[in-house]
Amino acid sequence: MKDSSLKYFDLLNKAYDYDSFRKAFKRFLLENERGAIHYLNDKRLYFPTLYFVRKEVESLNTLENLNLRNRIALNLCSVIEGDMKFKEISDKYNDKRIHDTLIWMFDSGVYADGLNDEFDEILDGTVGTLICYMKDHSILPSVVDLMFNRYEKDYFIHDLSWYLLQFKDPSLVELITERLKSSNEKSIQLACKLLHIDGDLSSFQENKEVNIQQTYNWVNENMPYIYFSGESFQLSSEPNIFKVHLEGKYLNKKVSPDTGEFLKPLKIFEKDALENFRQSSLKKKEQLSAYSYKLKKQNHKLWRQWIKNDLSSQIALMNKDWEG
């Protein structure tokens, strides 16, 4: 057969006519098993092509003739579906082979997203495996693209968004904030939900440029103190995913986005200040942390004097500064 056969099968894949696709491949496999496997093993093949004919391949006991990429991919499908443990694959193949296969599954599979629930679950599981086992943050922008594209089409995003949040990467906040600039209302709606922006979409749109700038200012100011709360769409329709660690902002010390713990040990004066800070109300903590951040940015020496004062003196100086 000519090289066009490979394109033929991928075009069938893209045309969403999977019944015709499977029947055509099965005929091809029965008539010319060697040729069919040759095209499945082609490096240009899209992952969905392999996925949607795997039962035909398995039924004719041709798995041993597949190349390493395809064998690993089918094993990974079994892991995602719960029929195998990831350890069974990691014990058998090296990490680079597994990682390269997962990237191929995701990069070529994303074009078939939304074709049916079973394939979307495989694609979501591929993302989850790359994040949870491979610790690959390079796919973060592409996964964000996928999630917003799905939401615009009213497709299911809960599992995908949960995997995305397992990155525990503050840069995710910046990627989501960029979506506020979108011309698509559903993208803006999702970005507002993820960022926990109060109010409905119409109120946001009324003063869009100002609201976007305010959000960017909030992100830039709070990035070192943002941590992941553990909330998600699987637990709430309005999750508060990204929270500001008020103690970290008050002390101007970075925290782990994963645990919310301080990344560096506290000094004695910081411990003393924190002990007093914790006695304040939530509203007062928000005020003190915001003031502390701005004061240190303006005058580090003055901030160091201020933070060493007792709490009542800090509040008095803060109020005096604001009133002035």
Side-chain angles (χ1 to χ4, degrees):
M1 294 183 69
K2 296 181 180 180
D3 232 21
S4 58
S5 296
L6 179 67
K7 294 180 181 178
Y8 170 65
F9 284 122
D10 275 335
L11 282 171
L12 275 174
N13 197 302
K14 292 176 184 177
Y16 312 163
D17 187 0
Y18 287 104
D19 285 337
S20 298
F21 170 63
R22 286 193 181 99
K23 290 175 182 176
F25 182 82
K26 191 168 185 179
R27 286 196 302 271
F28 183 28
L29 192 61
L30 290 170
E31 294 169 2
N32 185 354
E33 179 179 327
R34 184 176 178 181
I37 297 302
H38 170 75
Y39 285 112
L40 283 182
N41 287 338
D42 192 291
K43 65 181 180 180
R44 296 166 294 173
L45 191 84
Y46 284 11
F47 165 64
T49 304
L50 173 68
Y51 174 76
F52 282 106
V53 298
R54 63 176 182 158
K55 289 182 179 178
E56 283 72 21
V57 172
E58 290 168 353
S59 67
L60 294 178
N61 298 316
T62 55
L63 288 174
E64 67 276 6
N65 295 323
L66 294 177
N67 62 19
L68 186 58
R69 176 201 68 187
N70 290 343
R71 294 200 305 272
I72 293 175
L74 293 180
N75 281 334
L76 285 166
C77 288
S78 296
V79 170
I80 293 167
E81 292 169 337
D83 297 327
M84 287 180 69
K85 300 292 184 183
F86 183 78
K87 192 175 185 304
E88 295 179 55
I89 297 180
S90 62
D91 286 346
K92 191 174 181 181
Y93 307 107
N94 67 54
D95 285 349
K96 186 178 186 311
R97 289 282 191 181
I98 295 172
H99 180 262
D100 288 348
T101 302
L102 284 164
I103 290 295
W104 170 69
M105 291 168 66
F106 177 73
D107 285 347
S108 66
V110 73
Y111 299 103
D113 182 57
L115 297 186
N116 65 39
D117 292 341
E118 291 78 13
F119 182 76
D120 286 355
E121 287 176 10
I122 292 294
L123 193 57
D124 288 355
T126 301
V127 170
T129 307
L130 278 165
I131 294 169
C132 300
Y133 290 103
M134 298 287 102
K135 311 299 182 185
D136 184 350
H137 285 221
S138 69
I139 64 166
L140 182 57
S142 297
V143 179
V144 171
D145 286 342
L146 175 60
M147 179 176 66
F148 276 86
N149 288 338
R150 273 193 190 175
Y151 194 79
E152 289 175 7
K153 298 173 184 176
D154 291 322
Y155 292 165
F156 187 74
I157 68 163
H158 288 188
D159 289 346
L160 184 63
S161 64
W162 186 86
Y163 285 129
L164 188 62
L165 295 178
Q166 302 315 300
F167 274 111
K168 307 287 184 174
D169 189 333
S171 64
L172 177 59
V173 184
E174 296 174 312
L175 290 170
I176 293 171
T177 303
E178 280 291 310
R179 299 291 171 156
L180 295 174
K181 299 177 181 178
S182 173
S183 58
N184 186 289
E185 287 194 354
K186 289 191 70 65
S187 280
I188 299 171
Q189 182 184 61
L190 178 57
C192 287
K193 283 185 176 184
L194 289 165
L195 296 170
H196 207 64
I197 295 174
D198 294 332
D200 56 29
L201 183 60
S202 59
S203 62
F204 183 89
Q205 292 280 52
E206 284 176 7
N207 207 1
K208 185 176 178 179
E209 289 187 11
V210 173
N211 288 326
I212 290 175
Q213 189 57 54
Q214 287 178 344
T215 305
Y216 270 101
N217 292 341
W218 181 88
V219 171
N220 291 333
E221 178 175 319
N222 294 295
M223 185 59 73
Y225 321 112
I226 288 175
Y227 69 100
F228 288 72
S229 67
E231 296 182 26
S232 68
F233 286 118
Q234 291 182 322
L235 301 174
S236 170
S237 59
E238 296 182 0
N240 190 3
I241 298 167
F242 311 106
K243 290 188 176 181
V244 177
H245 195 284
L246 295 178
E247 294 181 0
K249 189 173 181 180
Y250 171 68
L251 294 178
N252 284 265
K253 290 183 77 73
K254 291 182 178 181
V255 299
S256 164
D258 185 3
T259 65
E261 296 178 356
F262 290 106
L263 294 177
K264 293 182 179 179
L266 298 183
K267 298 174 182 177
I268 293 176
F269 81 89
E270 291 172 328
K271 290 180 180 179
D272 292 340
L274 203 54
E275 187 176 343
N276 294 324
F277 179 79
R278 287 171 175 164
Q279 298 173 15
S280 303
S281 66
L282 175 60
K283 183 177 180 181
K284 191 62 68 177
K285 286 177 181 177
E286 290 173 343
Q287 292 174 343
L288 284 165
S289 62
Y291 180 76
S292 178
Y293 168 82
K294 291 176 182 176
L295 182 61
K296 186 173 182 182
K297 192 173 182 180
Q298 293 169 357
N299 190 321
H300 181 272
K301 184 177 180 181
L302 192 60
W303 172 83
R304 195 173 178 87
Q305 294 172 352
W306 177 82
I307 200 72
K308 290 184 177 181
N309 285 317
D310 59 70
L311 190 63
S312 59
S313 297
Q314 286 184 13
I315 294 172
L317 289 167
M318 176 183 69
N319 291 337
K320 182 180 179 181
D321 196 1
W322 282 349
E323 289 169 2

